[in-house]
């Protein structure tokens, strides 16, 4: 159960615990920074984490970890869904040796990842795990709210000139 769990940005004080877990779980430990992480807390205690890792042209969802005693409660899913929600681009890349786990979130394996992701697999993943693949999920385009659609229709029907309504000729 995840009832009393809060998701929030990591703080610099969280980083030592995150680093220790990342190394113990054999996750990507390259360029770790607190501002990249979202953490799950239960009664003030860190129980899970994950990050959005920036590269020059893309971002990667990664380093998702759940403390051993807290596994099996859906905390990993909670973190993954929150990171996808916060992701700064529509294209959400991951590198993983657990493709079946991430497929349930809509991720699909890709054979030709962006150069930064391909390089990371060779540079980082190869020393930590075997069988790592690149995956991608695309977030849906943001739908326009009803208010925005109404305003667009009004602007289309009643064009303005220099911010003032265009005079209408009388019938």
């Amino acid at each position: 159960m995840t009832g009393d769990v809060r998701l929030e940005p990591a703080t610099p004080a969280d980083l030592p615990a995150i680093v220790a877990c990342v190394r113990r779980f054999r996750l990507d430990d390259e360029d770790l920074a607190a501002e990249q992480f979202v953490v799950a807390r239960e009664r003030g205690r860190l129980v899970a984490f994950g990050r959005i890792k920036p590269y020059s042209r893309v971002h990667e969802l990664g380093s998702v970890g759940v403390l051993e005693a807290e596994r099996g409660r859906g905390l990993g899913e909670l973190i993954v869904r929150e990171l996808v929600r916060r992701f700064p681009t529509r294209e959400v890349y991951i590198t993983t040796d657990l493709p079946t786990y991430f497929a349930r979130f809509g991720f699909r394996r890709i054979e030709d990842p962006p150069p930064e992701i391909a390089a990371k697999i060779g540079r980082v993943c190869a020393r930590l795990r075997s069988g790592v693949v690149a995956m991608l999920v695309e977030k849906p385009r943001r739908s326009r709210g009803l208010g925005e659609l109404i305003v667009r229709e009004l602007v289309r029907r009643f064009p303005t000139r220099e911010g003032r309504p265009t005079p209408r000729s009388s019938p």
Side-chain angles (χ1 to χ4, degrees):
M1 301 295 291
T2 59
D4 295 331
V5 175
R6 284 189 347 209
L7 297 173
E8 59 191 31
T11 66
D14 294 321
L15 198 56
I18 291 171
V19 169
C21 288
V22 162
R23 292 191 175 138
R24 188 167 71 245
F25 303 159
R26 299 187 56 166
L27 302 173
D28 176 4
D29 61 353
E30 183 177 69
D31 302 325
L32 300 173
E35 62 271 9
Q36 298 172 354
F37 283 87
V38 168
V39 298
R41 292 187 202 285
E42 188 170 47
R43 291 183 290 275
R45 190 174 62 86
L46 188 145
V47 293
F49 57 86
R51 75 170 166 165
I52 297 172
K53 182 179 180 182
Y55 293 92
S56 62
R57 290 178 293 224
V58 298
H59 293 79
E60 178 192 16
L61 185 155
S63 302
V64 175
V66 178
L67 275 65
E68 294 92 338
E70 308 300 333
R71 292 181 181 169
R73 299 176 44 212
L75 296 169
E77 179 177 347
L78 202 61
I79 289 287
V80 170
R81 291 192 188 284
E82 181 65 13
L83 289 171
V84 169
R85 188 186 72 74
R86 292 177 182 226
F87 220 76
T89 61
R90 282 192 63 230
E91 297 81 23
V92 181
Y93 293 97
I94 61 168
T95 57
T96 183
D97 62 339
L98 301 171
T100 303
Y101 177 81
F102 287 98
R104 68 178 162 163
F105 303 107
F107 284 91
R108 61 181 170 75
R109 187 175 176 162
I110 53 174
E111 299 301 326
D112 190 25
E116 297 95 334
I117 301 296
K120 184 248 178 142
I121 291 173
R123 183 181 66 249
V124 178
C125 299
R127 77 177 156 80
L128 296 171
R129 300 171 179 264
S130 62
V132 173
V133 299
M135 298 182 82
L136 167 71
V137 67
E138 292 188 47
K139 295 184 345 183
R141 294 196 188 275
R142 193 179 128 248
S143 62
R144 293 192 168 104
L146 183 59
E148 185 178 342
L149 292 174
I150 291 170
V151 168
R152 290 184 75 202
E153 181 61 18
L154 287 171
V155 167
R156 186 186 70 75
R157 287 187 185 185
F158 306 104
T160 61
R161 183 179 33 203
E162 300 170 4
R164 292 176 297 219
T166 304
R168 297 182 72 162
S169 55
S170 39

